Amino acid sequence: MITDITFLQSVYVLKDLPDTGLPEVCVSGRSNIGKSSLINRIARRRNIARISQYPGKTQSLNYYEAGGVYYLVDLPGYGYAKVSKAKRKEFAELMNPYLNTRKEIMGIIQLLDSRHGPVGGDYDMLKWLNDWNGEILYVLTKADKLSRSAGMKVKRNFEKEIGKNAVLFSARTGLGLDSIISWIDRTLGLK
Ligand code: GDP
C-alpha cells in the first residue's frame, strides 16, 4: 500500500503527458461523483485533491504520483449539463485519444452513485469500459447516504446488470477503502 501520494501536474493537452512510463490507474466518473474525495482518502490526506466547489470545472487530467511507483490519474468529470459546447469538444479531444491510446493505463476505477447506479453519460463510459482490455473496478460512491441493506441491494443489482463485482464506498466513513487499495495493489502487482 502506497500512501505517499503527491500532486504532480494537470494535463490539458496530450503532448504534456508524462513520459516516464510509470503505470497509471485512472479514476473516472461524472462531475461531482466523489473522485476528489476518493483520491484524498487513498492519499490519507484531507485536501490533496481539491474537492470541487462547483461541478464541471475540471477539464484536465490531474496526475498524482504515488511513491514513484505509479500515477493516479483523476479524469475530467463528464456529464455536467451546463458545460458549453466548446468545453465538451475540449473534453472529447483530450479524453478520447488519452483513453484509446495511452499504453500506461493499467486499471480504471469507475465511480457511480450508490443511490441510483448508472445514469446519463455513465452509459457511454460503461460501454467503452466493456470493450476495454485492462482491469476495471466499479465503485458505488456516497454509500453513507443509504442504509446498509439498501446499499447491498444496489450493489447486487448493479453486479447483475454489469456482470462484474462492485465496491460500496463512502469517503465519509471509509467504507470500502481497503478493498479499493487492495485492488490497486493487485492490479499493479504490488504487495
Ligand atoms: P468530484 O467532482 O467527482 O471530484 O467530487 P468531489 O469529491 O468533489 O465530491 C462532490 C461532492 O460530494 C462534495 O460535496 C463531497 O463532499 C460530496 N461527497 C463525496 N464523497 C462523498 C461520500 O462518500 N459521502 C457523502 N455523503 N458525500 C460525499
Side-chain angles (χ1 to χ4, degrees), residues 27 33 79-80 88 173 176 178 181:
V27 183
I33 192 69
Y80 184 58
R88 262 182 231 280
T173 67
D178 289 349
I181 290 174

Side-chain angles (χ1 to χ4, degrees), residues 150-162:
M152 291 308 288
K153 195 167 161 200
V154 173
K155 175 171 139 73
R156 268 199 310 275
N157 286 343
F158 176 73
E159 287 173 339
K160 215 153 107 193
E161 188 182 321
I162 205 95

Side-chain angles (χ1 to χ4, degrees), residues 63-78:
Y63 270 74
Y64 298 86
E65 187 180 314
V69 173
Y70 75 96
Y71 294 125
L72 201 54
V73 184
D74 181 15
L75 301 183
Y78 53 80

Side-chain angles (χ1 to χ4, degrees), residues 79-96:
Y80 184 58
K82 287 185 189 154
V83 168
S84 66
K85 225 174 171 184
K87 278 266 179 226
R88 262 182 231 280
K89 186 160 171 269
E90 227 172 77
F91 174 90
E93 281 171 3
L94 180 65
M95 273 284 269
N96 296 346

